[in-house]
Amino acid sequence: MKDLREEILSDIINQKIFAFGKDSSIKLYLVGGHLRNLLMGIDKEDRDYVVEGKGAWNLAKKLASVLNGSFVGLDQERDIARIVIEGRTLDFSGTLGKSIEEDLERRDFTINSIAWSPERGFIDPFHGMKDIEQRIIRAIKKENMSEDPLRLIRAYRFGAELKFDIEPRTSEIITELSYLIPNVSGERISSEFFKILEFPHSFDYIFIASESKVLEAIFPELTPTRDIPPHGKHNLRVFDHSLDVVRCIEVIIPKLPDWVIVHLQEEVSYGISRLSVLKLGGLLHDIGKPLTWKITSNGRHRFIGHGRAGAELIDQISERLKLSKNVIGVLKALVRSHLRPLHLIESVHLDKRILYRSLSYLGQDSVDITVLAMADTLSIGGTEEEKIKKQGLLLEILEDFRSYRIIPRLLTGDDLIKIFNIEQGPQIGKILKALKEAQAIGEVRDKEEAIEYVKRLIY
Ligand code: CTP
């Protein structure tokens, strides 16, 4: 690990901050993620500074004008303030306890409990630098984890972010304390959980979070799915299949057309991509199964209406985790309609019109739902040949939907008024909608045919 003194002090903001601290006889330390990432050679713009004792609020206020940044007071009583400068955040807080050592002892993981100051260099009482080198997430101690049980989820978030292993004793502590997770506010839980989902290999960490019971502490609705055994083409218990679908989504993503990837990168809500919501949808798509489970006289397992039943449970989850309206909308559509693309490709009566109406009804979410269906089919048993065939048909559905998005407008509302003397009103919208459908299914290809089509429609 290289000496980072020069690197830290070559940064003009650090230079000014530490010089100001020295002139004011304030003991100031760089801590947290920025330091951790510097040690790993990764850039991280946001920083955390700690003032030994108290005085972080006042220091931040003065520094904000020295640095020409904006002061944001976060919590005067707890002595926490922020400076925002050129889009980056610099957080200042007083030490928890009297000294920096006491402060570090109260933090979450060894890799986050390192401090640095120009006078003292690295202060690393828990050997976090060694754990960074060995790529290990290790809790400082059990009490710290129970004091703020969000840290149980943060362990997996840092694991997924840095591709680190969770040290065995830390895993034990997490398992022992997982029952405390419901005490954490929904906003904090969902924010950490969505951070995990944003990483491309989140499945590995969601899987180990399921082994330590953290996953079910967040989503108790998954627990009854453990009772549904493998059946028919399903080689896995519903619980294991639900997790496996997240794995399959991550396997499929790199193979999808670029436009689908661009679509899945869209933000549904601040910092939450469609892809993360898709993975969560994958995890939860079958939560309605236990509620609708029937075994027929010939031993078949049926789950009629499980999509709808699952979507109702999403309301309960969303309320608990304080999910945003946009996230809820996409998540419910995924759970409610996850079988729709499969029904479409298996339908013997499928024609272009049914396909168009079905996908138009689902709107933009058609893409996400179809990718979920791809992952679902990949996870369910069956021959390789069958799976390849289904994947191909589902890809065709995606392409069909894409073609609907670029249907050119052959006639405008004004055209309808001028050419057909139609009065302004809802009829215009209805005609334009019908015309678009006719174009989608290939009945109308140019303006002339569009005029003929409208004539037939209204006369
Ligand atoms: N911290 C903690 N327990 C928490 C939150 C934060 O001990 N529940 C401590 C850790 O030392 C952490 C530091 O506060 O490194 C800063 O917190 P935060 O900004 O949330 O984490 P970072 O490590 O900076 O990483 P990121 O910004 O990516 O979240």
Side-chain angles (χ1 to χ4, degrees), residues 169-299:
R169 175 64 195 138
T170 303
S171 288
E172 271 173 35
I173 294 174
I174 294 174
T175 310
E176 283 162 28
L177 299 177
S178 60
Y179 73 96
L180 292 173
I181 287 179
N183 299 343
V184 181
S185 78
E187 291 90 339
R188 293 182 80 213
I189 294 179
S190 57
S191 158
E192 281 298 335
F193 195 75
F194 271 113
K195 282 185 193 167
I196 301 177
L197 293 173
E198 286 293 326
F199 300 110
H201 46 269
S202 55
F203 165 74
D204 298 342
Y205 294 89
I206 291 172
F207 180 76
I208 50 173
S210 77
E211 290 184 318
S212 66
K213 305 271 176 265
V214 163
L215 189 68
E216 283 161 86
I218 304 174
F219 302 107
E221 292 78 6
L222 280 171
T223 303
T225 66
R226 283 187 181 274
D227 299 333
I228 307 176
H231 55 275
K233 280 187 177 175
H234 292 260
N235 300 329
L236 298 170
R237 278 185 309 173
V238 170
F239 180 84
D240 299 323
H241 163 69
S242 304
L243 277 166
D244 194 51
V245 167
V246 180
R247 181 187 67 78
C248 291
I249 290 172
E250 293 185 344
V251 168
I252 287 173
I253 294 301
K255 301 176 189 159
L256 291 171
D258 287 350
W259 71 268
V260 177
I261 294 177
V262 170
H263 169 87
L264 292 175
Q265 281 165 346
E266 257 173 40
E267 261 194 359
V268 179
S269 195
Y270 182 71
I272 300 177
S273 67
R274 274 187 175 272
L275 179 54
S276 290
V277 182
L278 169 60
K279 290 187 203 174
L280 184 57
L283 182 68
L284 302 176
H285 76 287
D286 275 345
I287 49 170
K289 276 195 166 173
L291 294 169
T292 52
W293 187 17
K294 297 255 166 11
I295 304 177
T296 61
S297 53
N298 58 0

Side-chain angles (χ1 to χ4, degrees), residues 28-81:
L28 190 60
Y29 301 87
L30 193 54
V31 290
H34 177 65
L35 199 53
R36 179 192 70 228
N37 284 15
L38 269 181
L39 285 161
M40 294 182 66
I42 310 170
D43 191 31
K44 184 172 185 294
E45 298 202 326
D46 298 344
R47 298 170 192 185
D48 295 280
Y49 300 88
V50 161
V51 171
E52 201 155 54
K54 288 243 169 269
W57 177 282
N58 288 335
L59 176 72
K61 214 166 198 177
K62 289 178 196 155
L63 274 171
S65 64
V66 173
L67 297 169
N68 264 331
S70 321
F71 172 81
V72 187
L74 295 178
D75 187 337
Q76 190 159 14
E77 212 172 294
R78 287 170 57 213
D79 200 24
I80 306 173

Side-chain angles (χ1 to χ4, degrees), residues 32-33 36 44 48 107-108 112 148 151 154 157-158:
R36 179 192 70 228
K44 184 172 185 294
D48 295 280
R107 289 176 181 259
D108 48 9
N112 290 341
D148 179 4
R151 290 169 169 166
R154 279 168 65 88
R157 196 259 284 184
F158 287 116

Side-chain angles (χ1 to χ4, degrees), residues 278-448:
L278 169 60
K279 290 187 203 174
L280 184 57
L283 182 68
L284 302 176
H285 76 287
D286 275 345
I287 49 170
K289 276 195 166 173
L291 294 169
T292 52
W293 187 17
K294 297 255 166 11
I295 304 177
T296 61
S297 53
N298 58 0
R300 270 189 76 193
H301 292 248
R302 311 292 318 261
F303 307 95
I304 295 167
H306 74 270
R308 196 170 314 122
E312 277 168 26
L313 286 179
I314 294 295
D315 280 331
Q316 169 184 315
I317 294 173
S318 306
E319 172 63 30
R320 192 173 65 237
L321 298 184
K322 304 284 177 264
L323 302 183
S324 73
K325 210 170 127 220
N326 287 356
V327 170
I328 300 171
V330 180
L331 195 57
K332 280 182 90 167
L334 282 161
V335 174
R336 190 191 304 111
S337 305
H338 69 271
L339 285 178
R340 176 89 65 112
L342 294 171
H343 288 157
L344 286 173
I345 61 169
E346 281 163 10
S347 162
V348 276
H349 304 296
L350 182 63
D351 66 19
K352 288 181 175 179
R353 193 182 301 275
I354 293 175
L355 184 66
Y356 175 79
R357 286 192 181 166
S358 199
L359 298 182
S360 306
Y361 172 76
L362 298 173
Q364 294 301 318
D365 299 339
S366 293
V367 179
D368 316 52
I369 294 166
T370 308
V371 178
L372 173 54
M374 290 175 86
D376 201 8
T377 46
L378 208 60
S379 169
I380 295 169
T383 64
E384 264 320 287
E385 207 183 336
E386 268 171 11
K387 285 188 191 183
I388 293 171
K389 189 173 166 213
K390 281 188 179 169
Q391 299 296 306
L393 291 169
L394 290 167
L395 264 177
E396 277 176 28
I397 287 202
L398 282 176
E399 288 306 330
D400 281 323
F401 183 74
R402 185 194 192 194
S403 69
Y404 303 154
R405 295 211 292 201
I406 48 173
I407 292 175
R409 181 166 270 219
L410 297 175
L411 294 175
T412 64
D414 277 351
D415 291 336
L416 295 181
I417 294 169
K418 276 190 211 131
I419 304 171
F420 301 101
N421 243 336
I422 301 172
E423 282 188 21
Q424 221 154 18
Q427 200 196 355
I428 293 198
K430 281 187 195 155
I431 294 172
L432 291 175
K433 196 171 159 203
L435 181 58
K436 196 172 172 198
E437 179 175 303
Q439 286 179 259
I441 64 178
E443 275 181 9
V444 168
R445 282 158 301 181
D446 54 30
K447 189 166 179 176
E448 232 171 87

